Amino acid sequence: MVRARKQVTLETILDRCQRSVLSHPKAIRQLQTLQEADRPTFLAAFLTHIDRILVIFKREAAVERLVKLVCSYSQAISCVSGGCAQVSLKILQYLLMFTDARDKA
């Protein structure tokens, strides 16, 4: 009997990671696979999800875990040679735009 593989999407990865930090190493590998499979649209989709994380002003454990995942992912892909370092740089530049926000919680 052959088991069908479930399609891994960005949403399912982030959903799983907001529940537990233990899933982060596997999620980083899956994010790298998604990025390599679809470079042009991955960054835009990933940044859209980051926007949803950053609008929550209350400190919640799920949000803290997702922020930790974004940082770990940026660090992991910056260590890889090639175009991944550029993606890491774009993510960090995007996050730096929010450090000067006037409506910080």
Side-chain angles (χ1 to χ4, degrees):
M1 185 170 160
V2 177
R3 287 177 66 183
R5 273 191 127 171
K6 194 168 146 181
Q7 176 89 15
V8 178
T9 63
L10 189 56
E11 291 82 11
T12 58
I13 294 170
L14 295 176
D15 185 52
R16 191 175 57 245
C17 287
Q18 73 180 348
R19 299 173 204 280
S20 172
V21 179
L22 296 175
S23 62
H24 285 196
K26 180 179 179 183
I28 290 171
R29 289 190 302 273
Q30 290 175 329
L31 287 171
Q32 288 174 331
T33 304
L34 284 177
Q35 177 190 347
E36 291 169 3
D38 193 10
R39 283 188 190 267
T41 59
F42 175 81
L43 185 61
F46 191 67
L47 294 179
T48 301
H49 289 293
I50 289 175
D51 279 343
R52 293 180 185 153
I53 296 168
L54 295 177
V55 298
I56 300 174
F57 294 112
K58 206 167 69 169
R59 283 188 76 143
E60 294 183 13
V63 174
E64 298 290 324
R65 285 189 284 268
L66 288 175
V67 169
K68 184 174 181 173
L69 173 73
V70 170
C71 294
S72 298
Y73 176 66
S74 294
Q75 180 184 10
I77 63 174
S78 68
C79 297
V80 179
S81 63
C84 294
Q86 292 297 323
V87 174
S88 176
L89 182 64
K90 288 180 182 180
I91 291 171
L92 294 175
Q93 286 174 336
Y94 184 76
L95 292 173
L96 281 174
M97 291 187 326
F98 294 100
T99 60
D100 198 23
R102 298 206 183 273
D103 59 346
K104 289 188 238 180

